[in-house]
Amino acid sequence: MAAPLSVEVEFGGGAELLFNGIKKHQVTLPGQEEPWDIRSLLVWIKKNLLKERPELFIQGDSVRPGILVLVNDADWELLGELDYQLQDQDSILFISTLHGG
Amino acid sequence: RELKCVKCKEGQPVVVIRAGDAFCRDCFRAFYVHKFRAVLGKNRLIFPGEKVLLAWSGGPSSSSMVWQVLEGLSRDSAKRLRFVPGVVYVDEGAACGRSPADRAHTVAEMRLLLQAVGFPWHVVTLEEVFSLPPSVLRCFPQEPVGAVGTYKVAVDSYLQQQHALGPERAGGSPIPAQEGERAGQPCSHDPRGLAGPQPAAQTEALSQLFGSVKTLTAKEELLHTLRTHLILHVARTHGYSKVMTGDSCTRLAIKLMTSLALGRGAFLAWDTGFSDERHGDVVVVRPMRDHTLKEVAFYNRLFAVPSVLAPAMDTRAPEKASIHRLMEGFLLRLQVQFPSTVSTVYRTSEKLVKAPRDGRATGPRCLLCLCALDIDASDSATAFGAQTLDFSQTQPPTPRAEAGSPTEVGSAQDCCQGAGPCRRDDPRARVMEQLCYSCRANMKDVPSFDLLPPYILAEAQLRSQSRASQDIQECLVEDS
């Protein structure tokens, strides 16, 4: 049984537009059977934070191609991507690269 | 698992570049900065002391570019960048349906950044296209720059000059800031009075124009075209001979595929290459073309490069809304499974060569995109020829023009192949026949050319008249 987790979820590069324009969200994930990982975090985000157009953020069980994920300012590719297990006080940042330059 | 940076073998990696190269923060920074300097150094197109206009949209790529220039100018003298930068920001809010309050907010944020950066800056609104002169659509060819030797000579002589000025000056800071704070004024005072309507009316006119365009694809293309003309005008007016745009590797790969789908295959080298000389006196360069969007996003985050987000016309658009969106989705999705997709497409673009078939390209140019029309309009076997033929035959009959016009002279019959009233009487037809294949396809989605900024119609008329008088001249010579 995993204890509740307190994490900061941040959106940038335009992704925040899908979340009422709010960039930083302090989130408490409830305790549950399975440990929290990015995969289950995404499900949680879709259900609880995403205000509109889920297909612009999530595709299948991962993020839409073009959206970068950083955990504590490090590339999620270095941490196992969807399988990375969240720890208390982690900061997860989603940056959309899908708009202009 | 303790992974180490592939470069220094010591640092803790923070980002994965390409297919599996993990870099630590410091090595990533060095890699990123080096790429920027290398692209400029390799191409040797920017001469010391040259005035270069940086096109800053506020987005991540162009913001990163501006920051690289800022850092590059402040290095120790041996490795310092040597050109003279200025910045232009275009407020496109009217074309995207943004409220005046939102636009003002974004512009205010940009101004703060512009002031912090310290280069001379110009803020213009897209509405100013209604005040552009027809000459913005003309190419002013320059003498070819010449061999590499010219560049080396220029650099050496610049260094000698700096040395002669004395150590305090040679190592000094770049141009003083605030030489030009442009607060949304028209870029030039056109003596012929093509100033156009008042600002609020211009906003309404722009809004109407974009509102009338039938497809998002055509809107995006039209926006790109107008923006290019406007920036070109700012550059010419203020003496900039180069314009730098922030197109990244990812964006250019998408652009290449999109351009193919839009029928711009012949112009890929100019649309996606490092340098674009189609305007002649002002050359557009793309120094960010080796950087992927991922690298840009990471760099900006790790090293606090500020950017200003302005919702564009395609923000939140579904994937099939335009060809641009479709291509973007296609390439980025493919990239997830095949991480060398973007770089493969990009490498292809590097191989494109710009040689015109027979030496200098002096033929007619597309009225809007200004690329050389490498076509034979009477060859109906090509797509372009078929468009042209179909075009002249489906024009509704127009009333005869006044006396003295080209239609009353015998030679005009040859130009239209006797297919009815001369299409040059119809402003729409007149513009269409001066466009390349893809610009024609786009403009078909613009129902009324009356809504276009006047410079386009004016230039179309000028070119048409000049060609008509050329036809007459030829006819006269033959007769005698």
Side-chain angles (χ1 to χ4, degrees), chain B residues 352-374:
Chain B
L352 296 167
V353 168
K354 288 174 195 164
R357 273 199 217 128
D358 46 5
R360 311 265 326 249
T362 49
R365 286 166 172 260
C366 173
L367 183 72
L368 288 180
C369 72
L370 310 169
C371 287
L373 290 178
D374 179 29

Side-chain angles (χ1 to χ4, degrees), chain B residues 61-290:
Chain B
S61 304
S62 56
S63 300
S64 212
M65 175 182 81
V66 170
W67 236 249
Q68 288 303 306
V69 170
L70 189 58
E71 287 192 355
L73 285 172
S74 61
R75 286 185 169 221
D76 60 77
S77 51
K79 300 206 168 155
R80 194 168 42 172
L81 289 180
R82 297 186 185 101
F83 56 84
V84 177
V87 184
V88 63
Y89 173 74
V90 180
D91 171 12
E92 299 170 358
C96 306
R98 299 187 78 204
S99 74
D102 282 345
R103 291 175 63 183
H105 181 74
T106 303
V107 170
E109 281 188 58
M110 278 306 296
R111 272 190 221 267
L112 286 177
L113 288 183
L114 289 165
Q115 278 160 356
V117 164
F119 302 149
W121 48 272
H122 314 263
V123 170
V124 297
T125 61
L126 192 63
E127 284 89 319
E128 291 178 45
V129 294
F130 286 99
S131 314
L132 289 178
S135 59
V136 77
L137 295 174
R138 290 175 215 149
C139 162
F140 300 99
Q142 305 288 291
E143 279 313 302
V145 174
V148 168
T150 317
Y151 181 81
K152 185 106 183 35
V153 164
V155 171
D156 288 343
S157 103
Y158 178 85
L159 287 174
Q160 275 170 14
Q161 260 179 31
Q162 292 291 295
H163 189 70
L165 286 169
E168 348 55 72
R169 284 278 257 138
S173 60
I175 358 77
Q178 307 335 321
E179 156 205 297
E181 184 203 296
R182 295 321 182 122
Q185 289 160 11
C187 312
S188 74
H189 294 286
D190 185 357
R192 277 169 300 170
L194 282 171
Q198 291 305 306
Q202 284 182 340
T203 303
E204 179 56 33
L206 198 64
S207 215
Q208 263 197 341
L209 169 60
F210 278 88
S212 75
V213 178
K214 294 183 195 158
T215 60
L216 184 59
T217 302
K219 275 192 232 234
E220 294 202 45
E221 286 294 295
L222 182 62
L223 176 61
H224 178 78
T225 300
L226 294 180
R227 178 202 298 142
T228 302
H229 296 165
L230 187 56
I231 291 178
L232 175 65
H233 185 68
V234 172
R236 277 186 179 150
T237 308
H238 298 279
Y240 293 96
S241 46
K242 296 278 188 310
V243 170
M244 277 192 181
T245 63
D247 301 290
S248 63
C249 168
T250 315
R251 280 281 156 232
L252 287 174
I254 295 170
K255 187 170 189 188
L256 187 144
M257 300 293 286
T258 307
S259 295
L260 281 172
L262 292 172
R264 295 188 61 77
F267 314 130
L268 288 181
W270 289 270
D271 285 350
T272 62
F274 171 73
S275 67
D276 180 352
E277 306 88 3
R278 75 183 80 176
H279 307 288
D281 53 341
V282 176
V283 176
V284 176
V285 297
R286 303 180 175 104
M288 299 298 289
R289 69 189 305 266
D290 270 346

Side-chain angles (χ1 to χ4, degrees), chain A residues 8 10 12-18 20 23-24 52-53 55-56 59 62-81 91 93 95-101, chain B residues 1 3 13-18 20 22-23 25 55-63 246-247 251 293-295 297-298 301-302 309 311-312 314-319 325 328-329 332-333 336:
Chain A
E8 182 187 69
E10 198 183 337
E16 66 271 26
L17 294 172
L18 299 173
N20 269 348
K23 289 193 174 179
K24 291 197 187 185
E52 55 178 303
R53 315 293 303 282
E55 74 278 9
L56 292 184
Q59 203 171 82
S62 183
V63 286
R64 183 181 174 209
I67 295 186
L68 301 176
V69 185
L70 283 76
V71 180
N72 304 326
D73 273 359
D75 195 343
W76 76 333
E77 284 184 47
L78 292 165
L79 302 164
E81 297 191 16
S91 173
L93 165 65
I95 306 181
S96 170
T97 59
L98 295 167
H99 293 294
Chain B
R1 97 176 95 118
L3 208 56
V14 294
V15 59
V16 177
I17 297 299
R18 297 187 285 246
F23 279 71
R25 190 191 155 99
W56 192 358
S57 68
S61 304
S62 56
S63 300
D247 301 290
R251 280 281 156 232
L293 280 177
K294 177 175 180 179
E295 289 163 19
F298 264 88
R301 170 71 183 189
L302 293 175
L309 177 74
D314 61 345
T315 299
R316 284 184 267 200
E319 192 150 278
R325 293 286 67 69
E328 180 184 73
L332 293 181
R333 258 207 304 279
V336 171

Side-chain angles (χ1 to χ4, degrees), chain B residues 392-429:
Chain B
S392 66
Q393 285 171 353
T394 55
Q395 286 311 306
T398 53
R400 282 278 169 188
E402 65 283 3
S405 81
T407 50
E408 298 202 348
V409 179
S411 70
Q413 298 304 351
D414 298 325
C415 87
C416 304
Q417 287 122 14
C422 180
R423 59 178 177 262
R424 288 172 186 166
D425 287 348
D426 174 14
R428 188 183 175 89

